[in-house]
Amino acid sequence: MSSRPSFYITRLENWVDLPSSLGTLGAQILAGGTDLVPNLTWELASPTMLVDVMGISELREITIDAEGRWVIGAAVTLSDILHHPVLGAHYPMLVAAVHAVATPEIRAQATLGGNLCVDTRCRFRNQPPIWRSGLDPCFKSDGNRCYAAPKSRECVAILSSDTAPVLIALGAEVAVGGPELRWVEVEALYSGDGHDHLTLGPQEFVRAVRLPRVSPAGVFRKWRDRATMDFPEVDVAVAATLDEGVPRDIRIVVSAVGPAPVRISAAEVLLDSSPWTDAQLERASVMAREAVHPYDNGQLGVIGRQLAVRSLVLDALTALRAALMETGGEQNDLGGRDSREKGQPR
Amino acid sequence: MAGTLLQLTVNGHPQTVWIQDKTTLLEVLRDGLGFTGTKNGCAVGQCGTCTVWIDGVSRLSCITLARTVEGRTVTTVEGLADWWRERHPEDVYHPLQSAFVAEGAVQCGFCTPGMTMAGAALLQEIPHPDREEIREALGGHLCRCTGYEQIIRAVAAVGDRGKEDVR
């Protein structure tokens, strides 16, 4: 029997009751539990009450709102998304990311909201208790040091959500439930501090994810040790919409290199204003590598992950360019905003 | 200690067990009910040997809190042959169990309960899986004897029977 700390489980059937339950000291949401239960077993979490939300039917629905946008409840399982008859055809990049999460058994249990909120990880913390007993507590364990980044003043543990970068690239929004409902961009869900990595208030929770009515073209790439099961060492999601042959709304997101996904704004601006030549895609990938600073807290080392960022961004952008050209680009290289505005051939 | 009575069906038989809220399904099966065929490998969802079916779906019992399976139907490796015989009274074992023996897919045997439950679940869903589908379905299962090839062959052999769907 594990030395898992004791807690109560409260099962809810109406989300209206959720804020007050979460207001209880030491309360935490239990959805699929695929991340939480291992953390309990390894004594990495010590809630006094778990609020089981899997009985709340509103959180388990995939619907289309009045404006034709898909809304996925936070407690919809990842395998429900994979098995949905229509969703995959509209949002192939989301399905690719969901399919890249863990294993079939875990996807049958894990939820979309849980994947977005999954606790940050670090190789100096996500270890059995006896392993950790040799180290003084780090920031994430309420201590005052970071083993991965000794000069850091805050926790740099990694966000391992595969769906987060994709939903950011898609421009999806999250319904944050609580005393008041608010809609935020997925990007705004993350604080950047690995210790307390979500911006949710104490009584707030992720209620649903709303996808844009029309999905931009997108490509997702995940780099990990093994081809299955593993958490990401680097995730990359890129997306763009073709407007009269010119890519617009370009989003380049790199994740699993820190406590929050990173938008590579400089590369987005570059590709918004210039043709998508091989050289420009290469420049964008270098910008991505320079914009992220992974620490030695994953499984595959700092240099490897830096190189992977560049390689994955280049690969993803090249694939995105091919996809865009298939749907409407006319020439070998897609034109940027400048070329169109100046009347140059694309 | 938060405790409660848990009712569930295991391998076709109703069971009532006194549990704490922090108890996992794996602990109920092994320590409470004696179904030690289901193995405790890593206890944190990384190895797959604790795989059981919950309402027919392959799941990891070590990361499933027992309270969350109240009233549900659980099938462990001990119940796999019975489950198969209900549908095919002429057989003694699930064909995948026989194939594991025929293909030499068992060495130390520790991963076998999880591998068979996951493989049998796959054959339910896809009666004639190709190699990629088998690798995908068994992706969460570690075999430290590294006998993966024989295990994949065993699942493929059942899928290749062709006579009838393995349902």
Side-chain angles (χ1 to χ4, degrees):
Chain A
M1 191 72 75
S2 133
S3 54
R4 217 173 287 125
S6 284
F7 48 80
Y8 291 88
I9 297 178
T10 301
R11 190 172 172 84
L12 295 186
E13 292 185 356
N14 193 330
W15 64 266
V16 176
D17 302 325
L18 199 43
S20 59
S21 297
L22 290 176
T24 311
L25 192 66
Q28 200 171 339
I29 285 187
L30 169 67
T34 55
D35 184 57
L36 177 58
V37 178
N39 283 351
L40 293 169
T41 299
W42 275 1
E43 301 169 35
L44 293 166
S46 50
T48 53
M49 182 170 90
L50 293 184
V51 185
D52 182 354
V53 298
M54 295 304 275
I56 303 176
S57 55
E58 291 95 333
L59 295 181
R60 304 202 60 176
E61 290 171 351
I62 299 178
T63 53
I64 300 176
D65 71 5
E67 292 172 46
R69 296 171 295 195
W70 287 89
V71 180
I72 307 176
V76 168
T77 66
L78 299 182
S79 60
D80 283 345
I81 293 175
L82 290 180
H83 292 132
H84 192 277
V86 188
L87 203 56
H90 292 306
Y91 302 95
M93 177 162 67
L94 176 63
V95 167
V98 167
H99 190 253
V101 176
T103 63
E105 285 87 356
I106 288 175
R107 292 195 293 268
Q109 191 162 337
T111 63
L112 181 61
N115 191 259
L116 277 177
C117 297
V118 68
D119 199 7
T120 51
R121 301 177 61 81
C122 174
R123 73 183 174 92
F124 293 98
R125 175 172 149 91
N126 292 80
Q127 302 284 354
I130 194 169
W131 190 103
R132 297 199 314 274
S133 66
L135 295 176
D136 289 332
C138 66
F139 289 127
K140 183 90 181 163
S141 304
D142 297 325
N144 59 0
R145 66 181 66 204
C146 175
Y147 294 99
K151 289 183 182 168
S152 175
R153 291 177 180 273
E154 62 179 17
C155 173
V156 298
I158 301 166
L159 179 77
S160 297
S161 168
D162 290 316
T163 57
V166 161
L167 289 171
I168 292 170
L170 287 175
E173 293 168 299
V174 166
V176 175
E180 283 179 20
L181 175 71
R182 60 189 177 101
W183 287 92
V184 298
E185 294 216 355
V186 176
E187 215 174 336
L189 203 54
Y190 302 102
S191 69
D193 176 1
H195 181 32
D196 189 10
H197 73 297
L198 298 173
T199 54
L200 298 176
Q203 288 180 283
E204 288 188 322
F205 60 96
V206 170
R207 197 171 124 184
V209 172
R210 184 168 69 193
L211 301 169
R213 202 170 58 78
V214 179
S215 173
V219 175
F220 170 73
R221 292 286 185 265
K222 174 174 179 172
W223 189 57
R224 52 182 162 180
D225 198 3
R226 298 169 287 187
T228 180
M229 201 190 313
D230 282 333
F231 288 100
E233 293 294 316
V234 174
D235 270 344
V236 167
V238 297
T241 306
L242 211 55
D243 175 15
E244 295 178 24
V246 180
R248 296 279 179 239
D249 301 325
I250 299 156
R251 290 193 178 209
I252 301 171
V253 188
V254 177
S255 194
V257 289
V262 183
R263 287 268 303 266
I264 313 296
S265 314
E268 291 175 1
V269 171
L270 173 76
L271 293 181
D272 190 54
S273 57
S274 57
W276 287 36
T277 60
D278 286 349
Q280 293 297 67
L281 299 193
E282 179 76 35
R283 272 184 68 193
S285 71
V286 171
M287 286 174 169
R289 195 192 72 181
E290 288 168 354
V292 301
H293 306 282
Y295 293 99
D296 189 16
N297 52 355
Q299 301 299 319
L300 295 175
V302 174
I303 295 171
R305 286 162 75 209
Q306 278 178 330
L307 292 173
V309 169
R310 180 178 169 181
S311 163
L312 262 63
V313 168
L314 181 59
D315 182 47
L317 286 173
T318 307
L320 178 61
R321 180 176 65 182
L324 289 171
M325 277 168 31
E326 214 169 84
T327 55
E330 291 162 5
Q331 293 185 13
N332 211 16
D333 297 321
L334 292 165
R337 187 185 299 259
D338 288 353
S339 62
R340 190 175 68 157
E341 284 168 0
K342 290 173 189 164
Q344 293 170 351
R346 294 194 293 272
Chain B
M1 287 284 183
T4 187
L5 276 178
L6 172 77
Q7 296 190 313
L8 74 171
T9 302
V10 182
N11 298 335
H13 300 286
Q15 301 279 0
T16 304
V17 200
W18 179 256
I19 60 159
Q20 295 176 36
D21 281 6
K22 68 173 186 174
T23 310
T24 62
L25 176 60
L26 176 66
E27 289 158 354
V28 167
L29 292 172
R30 287 183 57 85
D31 305 334
L33 299 172
F35 289 109
T36 52
T38 304
K39 299 292 181 242
N40 181 6
C42 67
V44 288
Q46 294 177 357
C47 77
T49 194
C50 68
T51 301
V52 298
W53 294 352
I54 299 173
D55 291 340
V57 178
S58 217
R59 294 258 300 263
L60 301 179
S61 60
C62 75
I63 57 171
T64 302
L65 291 173
R67 275 286 304 276
T68 64
V69 295
E70 171 77 41
R72 313 277 286 273
T73 298
V74 175
T75 309
T76 73
V77 70
E78 287 96 337
L80 184 60
D82 284 344
W83 176 87
W84 177 256
R85 264 201 307 274
E86 269 179 30
R87 291 149 185 81
H88 302 268
E90 69 282 7
D91 287 347
V92 178
Y93 296 111
H94 188 289
L96 186 58
Q97 293 174 305
S98 306
F100 262 61
V101 175
E103 296 290 337
V106 180
Q107 286 188 59
C108 86
F110 200 82
C111 73
T112 310
M115 292 281 190
T116 37
M117 295 311 286
L122 169 70
L123 291 162
Q124 272 284 99
E125 194 185 336
I126 307 172
H128 307 290
D130 62 30
R131 194 179 163 84
E132 260 324 292
E133 288 165 332
I134 296 170
R135 284 166 56 97
E136 161 74 19
L138 301 182
H141 296 258
L142 297 183
C143 166
R144 293 297 77 179
C145 307
T146 67
Y148 293 107
E149 186 55 37
Q150 291 90 326
I151 293 165
I152 292 168
R153 276 211 299 264
V155 181
V158 179
D160 285 344
R161 296 193 322 168
K163 295 180 293 190
E164 53 177 315
D165 288 352
V166 184
R167 286 178 198 262

